[in-house]
Amino acid sequence: MIEPDYNNLDKETQSYLHSLSKKDVERRFGRQLWEYALKHRLDYDELVEEETIRNLYNYKYVFNI
């Protein structure tokens, strides 16, 4: 079995997966991240970006060859 690494994908695919992950993170954790950012005086966009990248490595990839 081949286990793909996110870093080995082309730029267009990486960008697409990043945008999907960001939408997913904002949908699932947006309110919690916003409250955490306010409470700790952090940048909300930076928190979302960090969670987006973490979320990418939780995806299951399926390739049709």
Side-chain angles (χ1 to χ4, degrees):
M1 177 170 185
I2 300 172
E3 292 188 25
D5 182 11
Y6 173 75
N7 294 322
N8 291 338
L9 300 174
D10 64 16
K11 293 282 183 189
E12 183 179 327
T13 304
Q14 286 184 17
S15 177
Y16 175 70
L17 291 173
H18 185 271
S19 68
L20 286 178
S21 180
K22 186 172 184 174
K23 289 176 188 175
D24 187 37
V25 165
E26 287 180 333
R27 181 184 56 82
R28 293 190 321 179
F29 306 114
R31 184 177 181 98
Q32 293 171 340
L33 290 173
W34 180 257
E35 290 171 358
Y36 183 83
L38 286 176
K39 182 178 180 182
H40 297 283
R41 296 183 182 171
L42 299 172
D43 183 19
Y44 171 75
D45 292 327
E46 190 175 310
L47 283 175
V48 169
E49 190 65 30
E50 290 173 6
E51 288 300 319
T52 297
I53 292 171
R54 279 191 204 118
N55 191 42
L56 279 170
Y57 289 98
N58 292 327
Y59 281 168
K60 303 256 187 233
Y61 298 103
V62 175
F63 294 93
N64 295 324
I65 300 176

